[in-house]
Amino acid sequence: MAEPATTGRATTRRCFLTAAGAAGLAAALTACGGGDDSSSAAPSQGGGGKGMELAKTSDIPEGGGKVFKDHQIVVTQPKAGEFKAFSSVCPHAGNPVGDVSGGTINCPFHGSKFSITDGSVQAGPSPKPLPGAEIEVKGGTISMA
C-alpha cells in the first residue's frame, strides 16, 4: 500500500523542527558555558597571553592602578613596590571596570567599587569581589603570568 502524500511533508517538518531545536539547545548550552562559577577564574587573555609585557612598573601609580581593557586585567600598586592584578570584568553585570582612582577600582555602569589591595567590594551592587589574576613582575616589567 502506498504512503499518503502528507507523510513526506510531515517527516520533513519533523526533521526541520528537530534540527532547529538541537541548534537552539546547542546555542543555549554554549552561552551558559560549562565552567564553574568560582571567583578564582582567570580573566580572558584577550590579544595575548603568558609572558606578554603589559607595562613598566613605573606606569602603575602608587596607590592607584591601570586597566588593560584588551587583556581584561587591572594592575594596581597599593603601596610602593607591591603589585596586584585582578579581572577587569565587574562581577555584578559583566561590564568592564572603568578606572582606578581614590584607592578603588571603579565600575562606571552601576557604581561598584573594589579594593586595590585585594579586589574586595567597597561599594555598590556587586555581590562578589574582583577575581585575582596572575602577573609576573621582573626587572621593572609587568607581564602576564
Side-chain angles (χ1 to χ4, degrees):
M1 176 176 210
E3 292 185 51
T6 58
T7 302
R9 185 184 311 155
T11 301
T12 302
R13 186 179 313 138
R14 186 177 312 124
C15 289
F16 173 77
L17 292 174
T18 300
L25 178 60
L29 289 175
T30 300
C32 291
D36 64 38
D37 190 32
S38 98
S39 63
S40 64
S44 165
Q45 301 306 316
K50 185 174 180 163
M52 183 177 158
E53 184 178 321
L54 288 171
K56 300 291 182 196
T57 55
S58 59
D59 295 337
I60 310 300
E62 185 179 340
K66 184 173 179 181
V67 178
F68 297 90
K69 292 179 184 182
D70 291 345
H71 304 287
Q72 295 184 339
I73 193 168
V74 58
V75 177
T76 65
Q77 185 177 190
K79 57 185 177 181
E82 179 184 13
F83 296 91
K84 304 283 184 163
F86 307 95
S87 168
S88 66
V89 178
C90 181
H92 172 244
N95 298 348
V97 297
D99 70 345
V100 182
S101 62
T104 58
I105 302 163
N106 309 302
C107 182
F109 293 91
H110 301 106
S112 290
K113 294 181 181 290
F114 305 91
S115 167
I116 64 171
T117 302
D118 61 8
S120 61
V121 178
Q122 302 298 298
S126 181
K128 296 180 183 179
L130 287 177
E134 292 187 34
I135 55 171
E136 184 175 281
V137 181
K138 187 187 271 185
T141 301
I142 301 171
S143 303
M144 303 290 287

